[in-house]
Amino acid sequence: MMRFFTGAPWLALVLTGVLILLLAAMSVLADLLRFAHTPMRFSQSFCFEVERGARLGGLLHRLEYDLALGALESPRMLALARLSGVTARLRAGEYRAEVGQTPAQWLAMLAHGRGIPYRVTLIEGMTLEQVRDVLAHHPALRQDGFALSGDGLMLALGAPGKPAEGFFMPETYTFTRGASDIEILRQAHEAMRATLDRLWRERDPGLPLASPEQALVLASIVEKETGKAAERPRIAGVFINRLRKGMKLQTDPSVIYGLGPAFDGNLRRRDLETDTPWNTYTRSGLPPTPIALPSSDALSAVLHPEVTDALYFVADGSGGHAFSRTLDEHNQAVRRWIQRNRQ
């Protein structure tokens, strides 16, 4: 009995101490919660950049002292960040802090990478060289893949052995400042891969195409042959007919691609006779690689071509094409096109 009563005061002291600590912790937590949901005290919106590998402490120091934004209240902001785990998820980019934004919203913006959006558009019919030029001239993109060869680029994208030309979906891509050109190309490649796989599964039966990659090659030619979406299935139908009959494709865009920098904008007879792997006048079948970025419409046209008996087509002078079943009809259409050009 005596031991019980002599120990009780010590137990009461311990419990009192624990209670005081709990109350203090609850007070600190309540203060942090109030801070988290109270608008920060700056009078105008501002933009700031988070560099790759930047730490929140360094960012707060720069904003508070370089931009005189003491309203960020570093100690409590850091405590709130540690409590919510944001410090481990700081993402590079360019951000805009808005008037009325709370610390919780500000930290969530950083954690989820909700920075100022930039956009870059890859246009159908572009070559890989043109795509890389567009990416290289975008001021908000980091250049990691510009110096890579085509093979090196596809290796970096996880698609070794695939041709780089044509294997990127022409679309508009959104990113934040500091993103890598390889990140954009990875998105474009994955989008093309997914679209090509889906359309290949849904293709018409009996096409003279052995693989999705062959469909991509033919679609790139169709893309370069016409700017009229309504014509694509018919032009694809002509090429499919020629492949079935074992006829050479004889398409000028592939010849031009094969000439590379040597092409001066004027396609001559000697160019048609200069043999390259892409010269479809000197070689049968499909070229070894695509010649440009095809749109999903061009891919769909190749895999669902129009049923036609036409084997030839030539520009009609109005932005479209004249289609012919025989060589005689085609030659007449060519003469009409030459006449229009002369006039």
Side-chain angles (χ1 to χ4, degrees):
M1 293 289 292
M2 291 297 292
R3 289 197 199 103
F4 175 80
F5 284 111
T6 55
W10 292 104
L11 179 60
L13 286 173
V14 170
L15 290 175
T16 300
V18 169
L19 183 60
I20 290 171
L21 289 175
L22 284 173
L23 290 173
M26 290 175 64
S27 175
V28 170
L29 183 59
D31 178 66
L32 277 179
L33 288 174
R34 280 193 301 272
F35 170 72
H37 299 290
T38 301
M40 292 184 285
R41 299 189 308 274
F42 43 81
S43 58
Q44 61 182 13
S45 300
F46 63 93
C47 297
F48 62 96
E49 186 174 350
V50 177
E51 298 176 351
R52 287 169 61 85
R55 301 179 67 86
L56 183 60
L59 172 64
L60 290 170
H61 182 275
R62 176 165 61 86
L63 292 179
E64 283 188 335
Y65 294 97
D66 291 358
L67 300 180
L69 290 169
L72 290 175
E73 299 186 47
S74 281
R76 287 201 288 182
M77 188 72 82
L78 283 170
L80 180 62
R82 292 191 185 99
L83 187 66
S84 56
V86 169
T87 50
R89 301 195 305 272
L90 203 61
R91 298 180 63 174
E94 187 176 14
Y95 297 85
R96 182 177 178 84
E98 302 287 356
V99 173
Q101 197 172 40
T102 66
Q105 292 169 332
W106 191 77
L107 289 172
M109 175 181 70
L110 293 178
H112 297 291
R114 292 196 289 265
I116 296 172
Y118 288 88
R119 292 174 179 82
V120 64
T121 299
L122 309 185
I123 301 171
E124 57 267 19
M126 277 184 168
T127 63
L128 179 61
E129 182 180 356
Q130 291 170 328
V131 167
R132 289 178 133 179
D133 189 58
V134 167
L135 297 181
H137 284 87
H138 200 295
L141 274 175
R142 193 175 76 254
Q143 302 302 317
D144 292 333
F146 185 77
L148 294 177
S149 66
D151 290 342
L153 177 61
M154 296 310 284
L155 182 63
L157 297 179
K162 299 290 185 184
E165 190 67 81
F167 239 115
F168 303 94
M169 180 57 69
E171 286 181 358
T172 296
Y173 297 92
T174 302
F175 60 95
T176 56
R177 178 177 290 277
S180 167
D181 57 347
I182 288 184
E183 293 174 35
I184 303 301
L185 290 171
R186 180 174 288 108
Q187 290 182 56
H189 176 67
E190 290 173 354
M192 177 59 81
R193 182 79 267 174
T195 300
L196 182 58
D197 288 348
R198 175 178 58 82
L199 291 175
W200 179 255
R201 288 193 301 269
E202 300 167 354
R203 70 190 183 280
D204 289 350
L207 296 176
L209 300 169
S211 66
E213 287 74 21
Q214 286 193 353
L216 187 68
V217 172
L218 186 55
S220 72
I221 294 173
V222 170
E223 188 68 62
K224 296 296 286 185
E225 280 286 7
T226 182
K228 284 191 170 183
E231 275 194 341
R232 287 174 183 148
R234 196 171 189 188
I235 285 181
V238 171
F239 286 133
I240 291 294
N241 287 346
R242 294 179 75 91
L243 287 173
R244 282 183 174 139
K245 290 179 177 292
M247 298 172 67
K248 291 184 174 70
L249 294 184
Q250 295 184 323
T251 171
D252 293 352
S254 67
V255 175
I256 292 169
Y257 180 86
L259 292 172
F263 179 63
D264 63 2
N266 185 19
L267 192 65
R268 303 171 178 85
R269 179 173 293 277
R270 69 171 181 265
D271 296 325
L272 302 180
E273 296 170 352
T274 300
D275 184 52
T276 74
W278 292 270
N279 190 329
T280 49
Y281 285 82
T282 61
R283 301 195 183 199
S284 299
L286 292 164
T289 71
I291 62 172
L293 272 62
S295 61
S296 58
D297 285 346
L299 284 166
S300 183
V302 163
L303 295 170
H304 304 283
E306 181 179 315
V307 177
T308 176
D309 54 4
L311 291 170
Y312 307 89
F313 61 88
V314 67
D316 62 7
S318 64
H321 292 82
F323 294 83
S324 307
R325 295 173 300 167
T326 67
L327 184 57
D328 284 343
E329 291 176 0
H330 177 62
N331 288 336
Q332 291 174 26
V334 170
R335 283 192 290 271
R336 287 193 297 270
W337 175 73
I338 292 172
Q339 254 184 341
R340 286 195 187 97
N341 276 353
R342 285 174 178 170
Q343 290 171 355

